[in-house]
Amino acid sequence: MKTVRQVNTVCMQGMKRIAFCVCFLYLCAMEKQIRAFIFDMDGTLLDTESLSFRSWRIAGTEFALSPRQTEELNRKCMGANESSIRRILEETFADSAKASQFMRRTSQLFSSMEAAEGISLMPHAREALEHLKQNGYRLAVASSTHGDTVRRQLGNAGLLGFFEALATGDLVRHSKPDPEIYLLACSRLSLPPCECAAVEDSPNGIKSAKAAGLFSILIPDRIKADAQLIKTADALYSSLRELEEHF
C-alpha cells in the first residue's frame, strides 16, 4: 500500500502532466488559429523610442519641465497618434500655442538625431519577420506614427517589404488604446481579429489589441511590465526571438 506522501507525489505528477497537456494543446490550437501577425513599429520593430526619449528630454529642459515631468509626459504619449499627443500636451501646458511649439521642437530634435545616427532595429526583428514569413504567416503593421514616416523608416531599415498591409496614425480618428487601428489592420488583411496576433511593447498598444479581439504578445521596451499589464497580455516574451521559438 502506498503511503500518503507517495500518493501525493503520484497525484502531483499527474496534475503536472495534465497541465502540460492542456498547455500543449492550447498552444497547438493557437498556432492553427493565428494566420497573421500585426506589429507595432516604435519600440517593437525599430528602436525609435530611445531617440524619442532623448529628444523629449532636451525639449523638456528647454520648456522648464523637470526630468520626472518629461518622463511621465513621454510615457503618456507613447503609442499615441499626433492628434492625441497634441491633446495631452495642451492639457499639460494649458496653452495650445506652447503645446504646438513643444511638438515642433521634439520633431526637430528627433529628425536631427535620425539623420545623424539612423534608427537601429530592435534585437531579432529581421530574423523574426523572416521566420514568420517563411512559415506562412501574413504580416501587417499597426503604428500610431504617420504613414509617410512609417513607410520611410521601415523602408530605410529594409523591413517594409515584409508587410502586406499598414494601418497608421493618420488613418484613424482614435489612437491606442482605442481598438480602431487594430481593427483597421485586420480589415486590410481581410481577416477577423481572432485569427491575428498583435506584437506590442506598450500598455496602450496591448489594451488596443485586446479591445479589438486579437491575441496580444507583450515584449516590453522602455516601459517595464507591471502585474496588471502582464495579466492583460496573452503572452509575455523577453524579445522578438521568442516568436521564432513559439511559431
Side-chain angles (χ1 to χ4, degrees):
M1 179 179 291
K2 290 182 172 66
T3 65
V4 171
R5 178 175 293 180
Q6 288 173 324
V7 171
N8 284 341
T9 300
V10 171
C11 287
M12 288 300 294
Q13 289 173 344
M15 289 174 68
K16 287 179 181 177
R17 283 195 294 270
I18 291 170
F20 172 80
C21 290
V22 169
C23 224
F24 178 77
L25 289 172
Y26 168 74
L27 288 172
C28 288
M30 185 181 71
E31 288 181 9
K32 289 179 181 178
Q33 182 183 21
I34 292 175
R35 298 174 59 192
F37 283 82
I38 303 175
F39 287 82
D40 171 55
M41 184 182 76
D42 298 299
T44 301
L45 292 172
L46 302 182
D47 187 20
T48 54
E49 290 183 354
S50 61
L51 299 187
S52 175
F53 180 73
R54 285 162 54 197
S55 66
W56 279 59
R57 187 169 54 190
I58 294 170
T61 300
E62 294 174 352
F63 280 73
L65 296 176
S66 70
R68 184 183 182 87
Q69 287 175 315
T70 302
E71 185 174 351
E72 290 177 355
L73 189 57
N74 183 249
R75 186 185 299 263
K76 284 181 183 179
C77 293
M78 198 171 290
N81 63 10
E82 185 176 336
S83 61
S84 295
I85 292 173
R86 183 178 298 278
R87 176 181 53 78
I88 293 169
L89 291 175
E90 287 176 350
E91 291 173 356
T92 300
F93 290 115
D95 183 336
S96 60
K98 196 169 184 179
S100 295
Q101 291 168 6
F102 187 88
M103 286 187 72
R104 283 195 299 272
R105 183 57 178 147
T106 55
S107 179
Q108 290 168 355
L109 288 165
F110 185 97
S111 296
S112 297
M113 293 176 187
E114 181 182 358
E117 305 170 23
I119 297 174
S120 301
L121 294 179
M122 295 299 290
H124 312 291
R126 187 181 305 280
E127 295 84 353
L129 294 175
E130 289 174 346
H131 171 83
L132 293 173
K133 199 77 169 177
Q134 289 168 3
N135 282 275
Y137 292 102
R138 300 172 65 191
L139 304 177
V141 167
S143 172
S144 297
T145 300
H146 194 282
D148 291 341
T149 303
V150 169
R151 284 184 284 272
R152 186 190 77 247
Q153 291 179 345
L154 288 178
N156 290 342
L159 300 184
L160 186 59
F162 284 104
F163 303 102
E164 61 180 275
L166 302 177
T168 54
D170 53 306
L171 300 177
V172 296
R173 178 174 296 180
H174 304 290
S175 185
K176 300 173 184 178
D178 189 275
E180 183 180 0
I181 197 165
Y182 272 104
L183 293 174
L184 175 61
C186 292
S187 174
R188 292 195 158 191
L189 289 170
S190 298
L191 289 175
C194 63
E195 294 183 3
C196 300
V199 185
E200 277 281 356
D201 72 305
S202 72
N204 283 341
I206 288 294
K207 291 174 185 176
S208 173
K210 288 291 290 182
L214 285 76
F215 184 85
S216 63
I217 299 171
L218 173 64
I219 306 177
D221 181 28
R222 296 198 65 86
I223 299 180
K224 185 177 180 180
D226 59 21
Q228 183 57 48
L229 183 57
I230 293 172
K231 184 178 179 181
T232 302
D234 293 302
L236 174 66
Y237 294 167
S238 60
S239 75
L240 290 167
R241 185 173 188 175
E242 290 193 52
L243 290 173
E244 301 176 57
E245 299 171 3
H246 294 293
F247 296 94

